[in-house]
Amino acid sequence: MPTDPVSRFLAALDPEHRQAVGDRPREEQEQLAAAWERELEADDELDTLDELSPPAAEAEAARRVLARETE
């Protein structure tokens, strides 16, 4: 299992978004990964989901981060 934040974030993305984010500069990837980690830490709803399915919680947080970026 990947341990660095960018690798974990990329692993949480669906394949289409993983490729698109993976093609971005490392600095952007790091910013998105940091936002993703903040989302996981801050959202109580994700805490509940995390207890049931950690991968699902990580995927939902990743989806939210990318959705905010395109707003």
Side-chain angles (χ1 to χ4, degrees):
M1 179 168 192
T3 55
D4 82 280
V6 171
S7 295
R8 288 181 52 234
F9 174 64
L10 290 173
L13 293 170
D14 62 77
E16 180 182 325
H17 288 106
R18 185 177 307 127
Q19 179 66 43
V21 173
D23 290 342
R24 294 182 184 192
R26 179 71 182 187
E27 184 177 316
E28 284 183 36
Q29 293 177 17
E30 290 171 353
Q31 290 170 352
L32 289 169
W36 173 72
E37 288 189 313
R38 287 191 300 273
E39 183 75 21
L40 283 170
E41 292 171 6
D43 192 304
D44 292 338
E45 183 182 303
L46 289 175
D47 285 345
T48 303
L49 182 59
D50 188 50
E51 291 176 16
L52 300 172
S53 174
E58 290 181 353
E60 175 61 17
R63 186 194 63 74
R64 291 178 185 183
V65 167
L66 290 181
R68 271 200 305 274
E69 184 191 42
T70 59
E71 289 178 349

